[in-house]
Amino acid sequence: TVGAIALDNAGDLAAGTSTGGRSNKMYGRVGDSPIIGAGTFAENGVCAVSGTGEGEYFIRFVAAYDIAALMKYKNLPVESAAAEVVFDKLKAAGGEGGVIALDAEGRFAAPYNTPGMYRGYVTRDGQIEVRLY
Amino acid sequence: KDVVLAIHGGTAGPKESLTPEREKAVRADMKRALEAGYAILERDGKALDAVEAAIRVMEDSPEFNAGKGAVFTHEGQVEMDASIMEGNTRGAGAVASVTVIKNPISAARAVMERTKHVLLSGRGAEVFATKEGLETVDPAYFWTERRWQQIQKVWEQEKQQAESLDRKNSAAVDQEREPWG
């Protein structure tokens, strides 16, 4: 699974996710990547989110939207909202995975409960950072 | 703070499972994806365009489980899903269970921009994408040696499990068949 989240100069946020699903999956099995609110979500003024991991958990916990809701209704910063969903909800329920999340001010969070997650970002002045573990 | 574009290439297994060659290839393609998206943002482009551009780079790379390099299903097929969402209008598009669309993320965007729907799946999504002029390919395009080896290993494990289960079951059945124990 791959994903991207972006914040442009107009202040608009966007998110996208694309996947081959899970290896050896059942014919017709669909995970969270094409499910808006589960694996992908973007709302101006709040955040953009893209997830990766065991899709069934991201769907059941409406993970991507839950991060936005925690920010909107509990005023959590993106870092805490993303961590709460990935560790306190998904991991606690046995769901493996991670997210990348970006708020409207350009704050970035990338929590994951697996051994690693391939992730990277670019800052406004063009600094690129890629991390795998 | 001050991040304008971020990407992920999926969750990763134990660090030792990643060879130096693969790590180099993964890092290089992630950097290319970030550069493709940033080039759009830098010239005042839209976040939506940056997201699509970055994901297309990773779909075209054999290093990630999306597009070329996608994993195989139990039947040895490639079935892909994708979605995209823009924060200003909350517009969203998605495709699921597609097998011949070269860049599923672009099909998801076409669903968002050219239909009143959010999610199209299977043959319907593929017919729509073809009619809209999106690039389609023979499913063989998505095949990669690494993923093929991966699914072969899984099938071999399943076969061994089934055989050992058969042996156990047949032993159990024999046991039952011999009431004298």
Side-chain angles (χ1 to χ4, degrees):
Chain A
T1 304
V2 302
I5 49 181
L7 170 65
D8 61 30
N9 293 340
D12 290 338
L13 285 162
T17 311
S18 181
T19 189
R22 292 181 74 77
S23 187
N24 199 35
K25 70 182 178 186
M26 266 179 78
Y27 179 57
R29 179 266 182 189
V30 174
D32 64 310
S33 297
I35 311 292
I36 296 296
T40 302
F41 186 75
E43 179 177 351
N44 269 21
V46 184
C47 65
V49 180
S50 174
T52 174
E54 290 183 272
E56 282 72 10
Y57 289 89
F58 281 73
I59 295 173
R60 290 166 47 217
F61 283 80
V62 207
Y65 178 70
D66 198 25
I67 291 169
L70 287 168
M71 292 176 68
K72 271 199 299 191
Y73 303 121
K74 285 181 74 174
N75 280 316
L76 292 191
V78 63
E79 183 114 25
S80 319
E84 180 168 327
V85 170
V86 169
F87 296 112
D88 304 348
K89 298 189 177 181
L90 293 174
K91 183 174 175 73
E96 286 207 335
V99 299
I100 53 172
L102 184 63
D103 74 8
E105 282 73 47
R107 278 180 284 263
F108 171 57
Y112 55 90
N113 62 41
T114 47
M117 179 169 77
Y118 300 165
R119 65 225 184 266
Y121 63 82
V122 197
T123 57
R124 192 169 299 282
D125 59 359
Q127 300 297 317
I128 287 186
E129 181 81 29
V130 172
R131 292 196 190 136
L132 307 186
Y133 288 92
Chain B
K1 194 154 163 24
D2 226 11
V3 170
V4 292
L5 170 70
I7 61 172
H8 69 75
T11 51
K15 197 163 188 172
E16 45 282 0
S17 65
L18 186 65
T19 63
E21 299 74 27
R22 274 219 64 225
E23 175 166 354
K24 194 157 163 266
V26 165
R27 286 181 179 279
D29 285 349
M30 289 184 76
K31 188 162 178 289
R32 272 191 318 115
L34 287 166
E35 287 165 346
Y38 183 67
I40 291 169
L41 295 171
E42 200 183 21
R43 58 173 188 263
D44 250 1
K46 290 169 60 175
L48 191 70
D49 294 331
V51 161
E52 183 185 6
I55 289 180
R56 282 177 66 100
V57 169
M58 293 190 282
E59 285 178 337
D60 293 345
S61 160
E63 301 305 330
F64 307 99
N65 174 19
K68 185 170 183 64
V71 295
F72 287 102
T73 68
H74 185 69
E75 284 73 28
Q77 310 282 323
V78 164
E79 275 183 15
M80 299 166 289
D81 314 316
S83 66
I84 197 163
M85 184 168 194
E86 55 177 357
N88 54 358
T89 64
R90 290 192 65 166
V95 290
S97 300
V98 295
T99 61
V100 296
I101 298 173
K102 184 169 181 284
N103 291 103
I105 194 66
S106 297
R109 181 167 181 175
V111 172
M112 177 175 80
E113 295 180 330
R114 307 179 208 175
T115 79
K116 61 180 187 301
H117 305 303
V118 172
L119 170 58
L120 290 181
S121 72
R123 293 303 293 154
E126 294 175 336
V127 169
F128 163 74
T130 309
K131 283 182 176 170
E132 290 300 318
L134 274 77
E135 189 173 359
T136 54
V137 292
D138 181 293
Y141 161 81
F142 299 106
W143 190 94
T144 55
E145 181 67 32
R146 185 166 66 89
R147 295 300 190 190
W148 187 244
Q149 293 304 327
Q150 193 179 46
I151 196 69
Q152 298 285 330
K153 219 181 288 174
V154 171
W155 287 340
E156 183 54 35
Q157 283 162 3
E158 283 187 337
K159 196 160 131 258
Q160 284 165 15
Q161 276 165 7
E163 281 161 4
S164 74
L165 208 61
D166 281 352
R167 273 196 299 278
K168 238 181 266 145
N169 286 347
S170 57
V173 166
D174 290 350
Q175 191 73 27
E176 266 164 36
R177 217 174 281 136
E178 295 154 359
W180 54 86

